[in-house]
Amino acid sequence: MTEFLQSLIRGLGSGSIYALLALGFVIIYKSTRVISFAQPAFMLAGAVLVSYLAAEVGFFAAVPIAAVLIAVLALGVERTVLRPMIGKPVFVVAIITIGVDVVVRVVTNAFIGLDVRQVGDPWGLSTATLLGVEVQQRYLVMFGTTVVVVAVLFAFFRFSRVGLAMRAVAYDQEVALAQGISVGSVFALSWAIAGGLAALAGVFVATGAGVDQQLWVIALKALPAIILGGLDSLGGAVVGGLAVGVVESLVGTYQGDVAPWLGPNFALVAPYVLMLVVLLVRPYGLFGSKEVERL
Amino acid sequence: MKGRPELYTSYAQDMAFLNTRPKRTWTGALVVVALLVPFAITDDLLMLLATGFVAAIGAIGLNIATGYAGQVSLGHAFFLAIGAYTGAALSGDPDGRVLGFGVTSLPVWLLASGLVAGLAGLVVAPIAVRLRGLYLAIVTLGLVFLGEHVFREWTSLTGGPGVGRPAAVPELFGVRLDRPSEFFSGPQQLYLLMFVLLVIFAVLARNLVRSRIGRAFAAVRDRDLAAAVIGVDLTRYKALAFAVSSFYAGVAGSLLFVVNGFFDPGSFGLLLSVQYIAMVLIGGAGTISGAIMGALFITLLPRITRELPTVLPFISADATGAVTVFQVEAVLYGLLIVVFLIVEPRGLFGIWVRVRNYWRTWPFSY
């Protein structure tokens, strides 16, 4: 039982990282209908930035600064690379973001070098006792912070004027344009928000283990999460992210005893198996809206 | 018709295999040049070109699914891997360290690896057919990760990560093509083999896409609902596009490592898929010649960047300097994709079309 609870909390912790990343993907997808494959690079860049800033201003000041700076970077990418592509096929734009991802990552890797950089988080690998179960503090912090961020984001979309504009654009771009909403600024804003979320996720990934050149691979696990939840559902992104984290963690704990023939490290691909199974039943994910088919 | 060689005068001519006389002449000339090349250049360049030809077969395959039928696939590396392992296992040494059946005859294992990969494509098709656009792209990406895991764990077939296994044995009518024979060196034979195979598969693909099936693919790509309304069986053609594309990938995969003779499970990652997407997009989506141009371009790119340090001294040739060749190469991939898609969405093929039109209308080319 203790083992199960520990595994569950670990899963929720790493799942909240995936949820943050998935939210970024979904926010961009909802407003621009494009999946930004540049998220892994922004995540890596965020973590690297914090590892440099933390030495100067301390961890807690470094995180928001890095998030803002990465948001600005994402905004810049959107203005220079993505804006000329409005109206082009979505797949072409998605491939362009792969190009952006490669470029940003190579530049970032030059700042990492070959060794591991520490982000200077105050938790490290130290543990706390929760309900009689020993868990690492950083998982609790990840989960808690994600809950707060998600609540703020949802409130922003629900109650603020800008959030309303973003929802309008997500619903129908042309109608939103006709109502006087600047669709361009909404695009830019959604990229900025996604960049900030990615940076935050990057910091969380780097807590405990540090930043190395392979960190970006973690971000790819947000892909099964967004497909699982449905590409255009914010709630789905959160649920999908947490589900991926929990499945990964539970499979990692129990698969060795139950099904050792699947090989070690099966936990890493378990989210993809889960995604395929869900898609066989629901082709638009758990909460995604079905495309209207009409002529 | 006479005196107007660049105009079509009948539908049959429009749909012909090489539909204008200049196209016939130039294609013929290109084939002759390609056949003479092995006697003019060094062996390591020949190897590189041979790899490029194999990549072109794979790129043509991806282009059939993505460029013609509009089924975006990021899973090409997975099908390449299936082909590579099928070919290697069939032709492998039965008493070796890894699984092998000792069938070294090239036509046998080549067809078998194509068929096995094609079957894998058909197995995936039921999921693929239900999905559209970016959902499909991400699901096929999932295939790559699942494949990587399976190949890492199935060490009796793959030799395991970092160790790997020998690639398929290219033996035709009892002659080992990768070893020097009486008249040719090994690389020359491999070059000619890959070139002949590329021509065969390019001709097959060109014929496929100008047939009824090809028109159905284009209809599915342009608007699948409209295609369904005019009587195109969506499920059938989407599955067919996947199967044909995977067949080509399987063939290309089994040949891909013949030149250097060795490969390991780490070769079939996301990067390989992205490279093939880049070939199709940089070459020009929806054209056979574009896929070939793109594949050659992407294959030759590392060689070109390797020459950069001699021209630009601030780039260092090993992994120690501030700006290394490897970084430049990775950045170039990214930048080329971005720049091509923004500036010339039709790719290298589009540039060629523009150059051609400039000279065709010269001196009134404004």
Side-chain angles (χ1 to χ4, degrees):
Chain A
M1 192 59 198
T2 313
E3 192 188 18
F4 175 77
L5 278 180
Q6 275 181 334
S7 180
L8 190 70
I9 292 174
R10 251 201 325 272
L12 286 175
S14 50
S16 45
I17 296 174
Y18 308 147
L20 288 178
L21 285 161
L23 270 175
F25 278 107
V26 168
I27 288 172
I28 291 181
Y29 180 80
K30 271 179 89 89
S31 61
T32 62
R33 300 286 142 194
V34 168
I35 290 183
S36 155
F37 287 103
Q39 289 288 91
F42 291 143
M43 183 186 104
L44 186 64
V48 172
L49 209 53
V50 169
S51 76
Y52 276 93
L53 284 174
E56 308 286 328
V57 295
F59 180 75
F60 289 102
V63 174
I65 297 176
V68 170
L69 286 179
I70 298 298
V72 172
L73 173 68
L75 200 101
V77 168
E78 197 275 339
R79 302 270 358 179
T80 49
V81 182
L82 277 302
R83 196 57 67 82
M85 299 306 289
I86 286 182
K88 298 281 166 56
V90 287
F91 177 63
V92 172
V93 187
I95 292 297
I96 284 192
T97 61
I98 293 186
V100 172
D101 177 67
V102 172
V103 174
V104 173
R105 231 171 47 219
V106 168
V107 174
T108 316
N109 280 345
F111 284 97
I112 301 178
L114 294 176
D115 38 78
V116 177
R117 295 191 60 83
Q118 296 301 327
V119 287
D121 60 301
W123 310 288
L125 297 172
S126 51
T127 56
T129 310
L130 181 80
L131 302 173
V133 181
E134 201 179 7
V135 288
Q136 285 188 16
Q137 287 174 10
R138 57 190 188 113
Y139 290 119
L140 299 177
V141 174
M142 286 174 196
F143 189 66
T145 316
T146 305
V147 169
V148 174
V149 169
V150 167
V152 169
L153 261 184
F154 277 61
F156 167 74
F157 286 124
R158 182 74 187 79
F159 299 114
S160 75
R161 280 183 67 84
V162 186
L164 181 66
M166 292 184 77
R167 277 189 293 148
V169 171
Y171 189 72
D172 191 323
Q173 285 182 11
E174 283 184 22
V175 173
L177 262 179
Q179 302 298 321
I181 291 171
S182 163
V183 174
S185 350
V186 168
F187 283 9
L189 185 61
S190 48
W191 268 77
I193 294 177
L197 288 173
L200 189 57
V203 178
F204 283 152
V205 178
T207 58
V211 191
D212 63 14
Q213 299 203 351
Q214 296 307 312
L215 189 82
W216 66 278
V217 178
I218 306 275
L220 294 178
K221 283 189 207 141
L223 292 173
I226 52 175
I227 296 290
L228 203 61
L231 272 181
D232 54 358
S233 160
L234 290 169
V238 177
V239 174
L242 292 177
V244 165
V246 169
V247 164
E248 192 185 26
S249 170
L250 289 182
V251 170
T253 311
Y254 293 107
Q255 174 251 333
D257 304 328
V258 179
W261 51 273
L262 286 170
N265 300 326
F266 181 73
L268 297 178
V269 290
Y272 289 97
V273 177
L274 178 70
M275 171 184 85
L276 288 178
V277 171
V278 169
L279 283 180
L280 273 177
V281 186
R282 293 182 61 98
Y284 290 91
L286 293 174
F287 305 100
S289 46
K290 195 174 179 334
E291 207 173 302
V292 181
E293 292 190 2
R294 63 168 181 229
L295 291 170
Chain B
M1 170 67 199
K2 206 174 178 188
R4 314 181 69 185
E6 288 171 358
L7 293 179
Y8 308 136
T9 48
S10 69
Y11 183 67
Q13 196 200 352
D14 183 27
M15 294 307 292
F17 180 65
L18 293 168
N19 41 19
T20 56
R21 198 190 300 156
K23 223 185 245 183
R24 277 195 292 275
T25 327
W26 285 110
T27 311
L30 258 181
V31 170
V32 172
V33 169
L35 287 176
L36 290 178
V37 157
F39 308 103
I41 61 176
T42 54
D43 278 0
D44 61 325
L45 268 178
L46 275 183
M47 302 281 240
L48 201 63
L49 281 173
T51 316
F53 291 153
V54 176
I57 297 177
I60 289 172
L62 183 60
N63 211 351
I64 287 174
T66 300
Y68 284 97
Q71 302 298 296
V72 175
S73 167
L74 285 174
H76 216 56
F78 174 66
F79 298 110
L80 285 164
I82 290 185
Y85 283 117
T86 310
L90 267 183
S91 74
D93 180 4
D95 306 319
R97 186 176 48 84
V98 283
L99 197 63
F101 295 98
V103 188
T104 46
S105 173
L106 181 125
V108 178
W109 59 251
L110 193 65
L111 270 182
S113 42
L115 286 176
V116 171
L119 270 180
L122 270 185
V123 171
V124 178
I127 305 178
V129 164
R130 286 154 60 90
L131 304 170
R132 280 218 199 104
L134 292 166
Y135 274 93
L136 181 57
I138 294 183
V139 170
T140 47
L141 190 66
L143 280 183
V144 175
F145 289 113
L146 286 177
E148 265 189 315
H149 176 75
V150 172
F151 297 131
R152 244 192 338 257
E153 298 303 328
W154 194 356
T155 44
S156 60
L157 173 70
T158 65
V163 186
R165 65 168 295 150
V169 182
E171 187 183 272
L172 200 60
F173 311 121
V175 181
R176 281 288 296 260
L177 293 177
D178 52 348
R179 297 199 184 133
S181 67
E182 243 177 282
F183 307 106
F184 301 107
S185 72
Q188 283 175 338
Q189 293 174 63
L190 284 177
Y191 171 92
L192 290 172
L193 168 74
M194 303 307 183
F195 180 70
V196 170
L197 286 173
L198 171 62
V199 170
I200 292 172
F201 282 103
V203 168
L204 283 177
R206 172 96 174 104
N207 277 326
L208 178 78
V209 296
R210 67 194 182 94
S211 69
R212 176 192 172 87
I213 297 172
R215 285 195 299 279
F217 282 171
V220 171
R221 171 193 61 196
D222 290 342
R223 196 95 178 91
D224 55 353
L225 287 179
V229 169
I230 58 170
V232 175
D233 185 344
L234 282 190
T235 315
R236 193 174 151 219
Y237 282 105
K238 282 183 179 177
L240 189 64
F242 247 86
V244 174
S245 160
S246 315
F247 179 87
Y248 271 74
V251 167
S254 65
L255 292 169
L256 203 53
F257 302 96
V258 163
V259 172
N260 54 9
F262 222 77
F263 65 108
D264 84 326
S267 321
F268 304 100
L270 175 59
L271 182 68
L272 191 66
S273 277
V274 172
Q275 279 185 353
Y276 274 84
I277 288 281
M279 288 174 197
V280 168
L281 292 176
I282 288 179
T287 56
I288 301 292
S289 43
I292 300 174
M293 284 191 265
L296 287 177
F297 185 79
I298 293 287
T299 319
L300 295 177
L301 188 66
R303 181 57 179 251
I304 298 169
T305 48
R306 205 124 316 150
E307 302 295 329
L308 276 180
T310 51
V311 191
L312 304 168
F314 63 90
I315 300 171
S316 79
D318 48 37
T320 51
V323 186
T324 68
V325 213
F326 308 104
Q327 289 170 338
V328 171
E329 195 183 315
V331 170
L332 265 184
Y333 269 125
L335 277 186
L336 277 173
I337 295 175
V338 173
V339 169
F340 257 104
L341 288 178
I342 293 179
V343 181
E344 178 52 276
R346 288 177 303 173
L348 291 170
F349 184 80
I351 292 178
W352 151 243
V353 168
R354 282 209 302 233
V355 171
R356 189 187 68 192
N357 288 349
Y358 179 89
W359 288 109
R360 181 178 284 175
T361 51
W362 193 83
F364 304 107
S365 18
Y366 42 82

